[in-house]
Each structure stands twice: as C-alpha cells, then as structure tokens.
C-alpha cells in the first residue's frame, strides 16, 4: 500500500501553506478531504484533471523541479488515500486547529470533500437515486457547514454541540461507507432486457450454444 509519511506531509505543508495563506491554494487538510472524495466516488480523475483545483490561483513555480516535486507529492498523497480506502479504512486525518483553539477543525477537510462533488463529472445524488445515500454523507455535510444559514435566511438544519461531536466520531466510518457504496454499485449486475421474442431455432439466450428449443425452451 502506498504510504504518505510524515516527511512527505511536512514537505507538502512547506510548499502549499504559504500559497494557501495568500490565495486559493488548498492546505494539506483540504487536499486530503478533496482526494478522499475523489477516491470514494464513481469517477477516476488523473492528476491533470484535479491539479488546478488543488493549486487554485498559485503563481507559476520558480522551477520545473519544484513543479515536478509537488506533482509527485500530491500524486503520492492521492494514491495513499485511495489505497487506504480500498483496504476499508481511512489514513489518519490531517486536521489543523481552529483559530484560538486547540481543537481540531473538521470544517476545511469536510468542505473540501464536498467541493470535490462539484468537480467530478458524475452527480452523486442523481446517480445514487437513493434516499438513504444522503444519510451516509450527513457527518461530512454537517461538519462542513453545508446546512448553515445563508445571509438573511434561516439554517436548513441545526445541530447541537453533542450532535456535532458525535459526527466527528462517525466521520471515518461514514466516508468508508460512501466508498463501499460506490464499489458495490459498480459491481452490481446489469439486467439485460430482451423485448423481442426468441425463435425456437434461435440460439438460446442463456449462452449454452444450443438452439432455444433444445435448451431453455424445452419446457
């Protein structure tokens, strides 16, 4: 399994954090949330399809070597997340403290996860067509502030402090469940319907190679 180690994370922080403070480049916690969603869903995007979303309005790199290094680190980060999900788990979450607090801030991670749903080609909720699917994403959406009030409007949903704490503990399992949902959907058999009639002398639809009358049409 691809391992994105502490040294890799420290180097990525060194490269991305100054850019994120000055513009729309993602921080490593946001990168991990974004990559987790990409690896969970039904679409498979390559580095050239998600790199601009990660880097945002970052200025041109000082050298080709620096650009190659950050591409390699980001690819390794993505691969490690995808490999962990394939094993039924999440890597340790990259979370930073909120302002004036020692508590880990889940909001940027979850916001970046939900942002990925706007980037991928597939509309998850339309493709799922399943009322229970949104429930799987509830911890991500709640911790990411998806139900917060718009200016001048009432919030769509409100959660108590204890409910939000509970969502933090459920986040890993919820994300793995979303990943497993899409893998199961991919593996589901496709029903092929044949509205035409099968002639008695036609090849049998079961694939045996026999005529229909000598196979499934005998009865």
């Amino acid at each position: 399994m691809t391992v994105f180690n502490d040294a890799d994370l420290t180097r990525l922080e060194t490269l991305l954090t100054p850019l994120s403070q000055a513009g729309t480049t993602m921080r490593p916690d946001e990168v991990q949330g974004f990559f987790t969603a990409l690896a969970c869903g039904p679409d498979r995007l390559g580095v050239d399809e998600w790199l601009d979303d990660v880097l945002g309005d970052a200025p041109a790199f000082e050298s080709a070597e620096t650009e190659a290094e950050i591409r390699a680190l980001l690819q390794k980060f993505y691969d490690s997340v995808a490999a962990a999900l394939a094993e039924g788990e999440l890597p340790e979450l990259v979370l930073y403290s909120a302002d004036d607090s020692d508590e880990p801030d889940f909001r940027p991670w979850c916001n970046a996860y939900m942002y990925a749903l706007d980037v991928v080609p597939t509309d998850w909720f339309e493709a799922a067509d399943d009322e229970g699917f949104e429930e799987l994403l509830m911890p991500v959406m709640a911790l990411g502030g998806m139900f917060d009030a718009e200016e001048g409007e009432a919030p769509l949903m409100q959660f108590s402090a204890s409910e939000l704490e509970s969502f933090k503990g459920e986040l890993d399992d919820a994300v793995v469940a979303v990943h497993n949902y899409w893998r199961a959907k991919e593996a589901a058999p496709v029903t092929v319907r044949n509205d035409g009639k099968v002639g008695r002398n036609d090849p049998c639809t079961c694939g045996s190679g026999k005529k229909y009358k000598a196979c499934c049409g005998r009865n």
Side-chain angles (χ1 to χ4, degrees):
M1 185 172 75
T2 303
V3 177
F4 185 80
N5 59 34
D6 290 342
D8 294 325
L9 177 59
T10 298
R11 181 56 180 160
L12 192 62
E13 288 172 335
T14 300
L15 292 167
L16 293 186
T17 301
L19 298 175
S20 69
Q21 292 171 341
T24 61
T25 302
M26 291 185 185
R27 305 185 316 189
D29 57 340
E30 295 169 320
V31 174
Q32 190 188 50
F34 181 71
F35 283 169
T36 300
L38 295 184
C40 277
D43 301 295
R44 288 293 172 266
L45 305 185
V47 59
D48 291 324
E49 296 170 284
W50 50 250
L51 185 62
D52 287 346
D53 291 296
V54 172
L55 296 180
D57 60 3
F61 292 103
E62 295 179 0
S63 67
E65 289 76 14
T66 301
E67 181 177 4
E69 181 184 13
I70 198 166
R71 281 177 66 101
L73 279 170
L74 288 169
Q75 184 67 64
K76 188 176 183 182
F77 201 6
Y78 174 85
D79 290 343
S80 70
V81 171
L85 285 168
E87 293 290 329
E89 58 188 26
L90 266 180
E92 183 178 354
L93 296 187
V94 177
L95 300 172
Y96 300 122
S97 298
D99 294 338
D100 303 320
S101 171
D102 292 331
E103 292 296 317
D105 187 3
F106 286 76
R107 192 183 185 97
W109 195 102
C110 293
N111 258 319
Y113 185 104
M114 295 304 298
Y115 171 67
L117 274 61
D118 293 329
V119 171
V120 296
T122 300
D123 182 324
W124 284 20
F125 298 100
E126 183 178 312
D129 193 23
D130 182 347
E131 292 182 0
F133 176 70
E134 190 168 327
E135 289 297 318
L136 295 179
L137 283 171
M138 186 60 72
V140 182
M141 293 192 292
L143 294 172
M146 298 297 108
F147 302 106
D148 290 357
E150 297 288 340
E151 186 174 352
E153 298 181 5
L156 297 174
M157 294 182 70
Q158 290 182 297
F159 303 97
S160 66
S162 62
E163 285 175 319
L164 291 174
E165 283 301 312
S166 178
F167 284 141
K168 292 176 184 178
E170 297 167 8
L171 182 62
D172 281 30
D173 288 342
V175 169
V176 171
V178 171
H179 174 270
N180 292 343
Y181 176 93
W182 288 116
R183 301 294 81 76
K185 201 169 182 67
E186 289 170 353
V190 177
T191 301
V192 178
R193 296 178 179 174
N194 183 0
D195 294 330
K197 294 182 179 180
V198 180
R200 289 181 55 76
N201 290 313
D202 290 340
C204 187
T205 55
C206 75
S208 66
K210 299 178 182 180
K211 290 183 178 181
Y212 178 70
K213 68 182 180 182
C215 191
C216 294
R218 285 182 298 178
N219 298 325

